[in-house]
Amino acid sequence: MDRMDRMDRMDRWGRVLWWWLRIGGQVSVGCPVRVAGRGPEGVWLWLAAGSPGWRARLPGGRRAHLRDLDPERWPPGGFPLRPDRWRNGSALILQPPGAGYAVWWFFSRDGTFGGWYVNFERRTRYEEQGAVNEEGTDIVVDDLELDLTVSPDRHWRWKDEESFAVRTGHPRFWTAEEAETVRADGLRLAALAEAGTFPFDGTACDFAPPTDWGTALRRRPPGPWLTDGAPA
């Protein structure tokens, strides 16, 4: 029996939550996700390819990214959000309790495992009205830019090192001390990948959601506590 089989699938199994990614306090993207379980390793979420959601409307169109825009020129009230869809492959996301990162298992449309992705982040959960609540429906992730990609054969590499270094110390982003912690966590996780240790030991690489899940079709408008780039 592997870790996925031991997960608590009681009333949380399949529950729809909202996952929001912010960069420098500005919402970049938000999508509905389903709870795939909860266990000692943390909360497991499923984000289906093509899920409807919201994305920041940026100058430059759909190919624009917040990391390429000068934060000093961002509008005071934040960029507006527009309806969109999750453009990447489906992913199983593990959010370990108290950790400054989440581990993603990416899958192609035919269900083939494509590798792991470690996103370094701060996480807070909110109720729809904006109050902090660990059982809330909104999971707000403040992205810390640096990432770690791990291929199925467990070769790893850093991602976005240059932009991470440029933004370190900027008041919108993270401190030099936080940057040191992120790098230390990254090296520790890279060592786990090299050793083939959880979460890089094959756990959940064959995960398949129930056939009746599909995409979570709740296109709930973002609350006012998100649209201005920061919770109230």
Side-chain angles (χ1 to χ4, degrees):
M1 180 181 292
D2 64 19
R3 294 172 190 262
M4 295 295 292
D5 291 328
R6 291 200 302 270
M7 291 192 305
D8 175 12
R9 296 184 178 179
M10 300 295 287
D11 59 336
R12 299 180 181 279
W13 174 251
R15 180 188 180 199
V16 176
L17 306 176
W18 273 82
W19 172 87
W20 300 95
L21 180 74
R22 300 192 308 190
I23 298 175
Q26 164 69 51
V27 174
S28 175
V29 62
C31 289
V33 294
R34 290 189 186 272
V35 176
R38 174 179 287 196
E41 298 84 11
V43 176
W44 299 79
L45 305 171
W46 176 252
L47 173 54
S51 292
W54 298 85
R55 189 175 297 271
R57 188 187 301 276
L58 303 177
R62 290 179 178 269
R63 295 184 179 275
H65 195 285
L66 278 169
R67 75 165 59 90
D68 301 321
L69 303 177
D70 181 356
E72 305 303 329
R73 303 184 68 178
W74 293 4
F79 292 101
L81 303 181
R82 58 176 174 79
D84 200 1
R85 289 186 176 272
W86 179 249
R87 305 174 190 171
N88 299 318
S90 296
L92 182 69
I93 307 167
L94 172 62
Q95 297 182 331
Y101 61 87
V103 183
W104 294 50
W105 283 248
F106 270 109
F107 298 87
S108 64
R109 289 192 177 273
D110 68 359
T112 302
F113 173 64
W116 298 271
Y117 189 96
V118 181
N119 194 69
F120 296 98
E121 60 191 43
R122 308 185 201 104
R123 282 190 303 276
T124 310
R125 283 187 66 167
Y126 295 89
E127 298 174 351
E128 290 187 20
Q129 294 76 20
V132 175
N133 183 344
E134 286 305 307
E135 300 300 318
T137 57
D138 291 279
I139 302 171
V140 179
V141 168
D142 285 295
D143 187 63
L144 300 180
E145 189 68 12
L146 190 65
D147 304 301
L148 195 72
T149 64
V150 182
S151 64
D153 61 1
R154 299 184 179 85
H155 286 87
W156 64 272
R157 65 180 181 85
W158 294 113
K159 180 177 177 291
D160 298 328
E161 282 188 282
E162 183 176 345
S163 52
F164 176 69
V166 167
R167 292 187 168 179
T168 294
H170 189 287
R172 268 192 177 268
F173 300 107
W174 46 86
T175 66
E177 290 76 17
E178 286 178 301
E180 291 180 3
T181 299
V182 167
R183 284 197 172 274
D185 282 344
L187 291 173
R188 180 177 60 81
L189 287 159
L192 295 179
E194 291 176 352
T197 302
F198 183 80
F200 310 107
D201 60 351
T203 295
C205 291
D206 59 351
F207 179 80
T211 56
D212 62 349
W213 273 11
T215 56
L217 295 177
R218 288 177 55 202
R219 186 176 277 174
R220 177 173 62 78
W225 56 280
L226 269 169
T227 53
D228 66 356

